[in-house]
């Protein structure tokens, strides 16, 4: 199991194509200049103790197809620049500290196959993703769901890991 902070020197490995680190005990934040990894296609950092937000330079990772930050500890509002990562096929952000509106810019993610948003404090109507995303889950269960998602395959309630989830009809 890896511990400590993610070394900022990793951003000098400009030909790096994949980061897969999980579960781990990483602390701290994602390196501010992570956008230097322009050839990165996959970043998987899950079950971590990170803090902070997704840094603005992340928008430079235009070759990304897979992002998995499940249970990573990241938070803040979901940055609209994620909508510029048009090669994304898999975006997993479950059980973190994200809050606020789901950006309308996500509608630009025309290659997105799977989207996981449950276990955050996100709100809004994501019906605009129904024609694009094949597998989607969010906090869309209950009499007053946080997320309106008529096409979600799995609907959950709450923001803690293990909260109620069920398959939608």
């Amino acid at each position: 199991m890896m511990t400590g902070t993610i070394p900022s020197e990793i951003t000098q490995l400009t030909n790096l194509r994949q980061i897969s680190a999980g579960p781990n005990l990483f602390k701290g934040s994602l390196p501010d200049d992570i956008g230097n990894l322009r050839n990165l296609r996959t970043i998987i950092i899950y079950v971590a103790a990170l803090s902070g937000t997704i840094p603005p330079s992340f928008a430079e990772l235009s070759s990304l197809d897979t992002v998995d930050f499940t249970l990573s500890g990241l938070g803040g509002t979901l940055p609209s620049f994620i909508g510029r990562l048009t090669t994304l096929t898999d975006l997993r952000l479950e059980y973190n500290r994200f809050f606020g509106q789901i950006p309308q810019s996500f509608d630009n993610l025309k290659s997105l196959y799977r989207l996981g948003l449950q276990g955050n404090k996100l709100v809004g109507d994501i019906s605009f993703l129904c024609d694009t995303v094949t597998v989607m889950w969010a906090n869309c269960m209950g009499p007053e769901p946080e997320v309106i998602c008529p096409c979600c395959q799995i609907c959950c309630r709450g923001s803690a890991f293990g909260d109620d989830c069920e398959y939608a009809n």
Side-chain angles (χ1 to χ4, degrees):
M1 190 168 288
M2 296 176 272
T3 62
T5 60
I6 299 172
S8 61
E9 293 82 10
I10 198 169
T11 62
Q12 296 170 13
L13 303 172
T14 56
N15 289 320
L16 192 64
R17 294 180 53 101
Q18 179 174 328
I19 296 173
S20 185
N24 63 72
L25 295 175
F26 282 137
K27 294 181 179 158
S29 59
L30 293 173
D32 287 336
D33 51 356
I34 196 164
N36 292 345
L37 300 175
R38 302 265 162 93
N39 293 308
L40 197 64
R41 294 186 54 89
T42 301
I43 183 166
I44 300 170
I45 300 175
Y46 67 93
V47 190
L50 295 177
S51 58
T53 60
I54 298 173
S57 72
F58 202 82
E60 304 302 318
L61 301 176
S62 60
S63 296
L64 274 177
D65 59 36
T66 301
V67 173
D68 187 346
F69 289 143
T70 304
L71 285 162
S72 69
L74 293 172
T77 58
L78 284 181
S80 62
F81 62 69
I82 290 176
R84 296 194 330 231
L85 303 175
T86 57
T87 58
L88 274 178
T89 59
D90 193 354
L91 179 59
R92 307 216 27 205
L93 302 172
E94 306 100 276
Y95 300 106
N96 282 292
R97 297 180 190 129
F98 295 112
F99 59 86
Q101 282 291 128
I102 298 162
Q104 186 71 33
S105 66
F106 277 32
D107 193 31
N108 297 328
L109 303 175
K110 300 300 185 195
S111 298
L112 199 60
Y113 173 78
R114 180 168 48 186
L115 176 63
L117 297 173
Q118 88 273 13
N120 290 287
K121 299 287 186 188
L122 297 169
V123 296
D125 185 338
I126 55 175
S127 300
F128 63 90
L129 294 171
C130 290
D131 290 336
T132 305
V133 182
T134 302
V135 180
M136 189 164 28
W137 53 99
N139 287 14
C140 51
M141 189 166 81
E144 294 183 31
E146 297 167 25
V147 175
I148 306 302
C149 182
C151 56
C152 279
Q153 285 76 24
I154 300 173
C155 284
C156 303
R157 174 185 13 230
S159 59
F161 184 71
D163 279 344
D164 289 340
C165 291
E166 60 186 49
Y167 287 97
N169 293 332

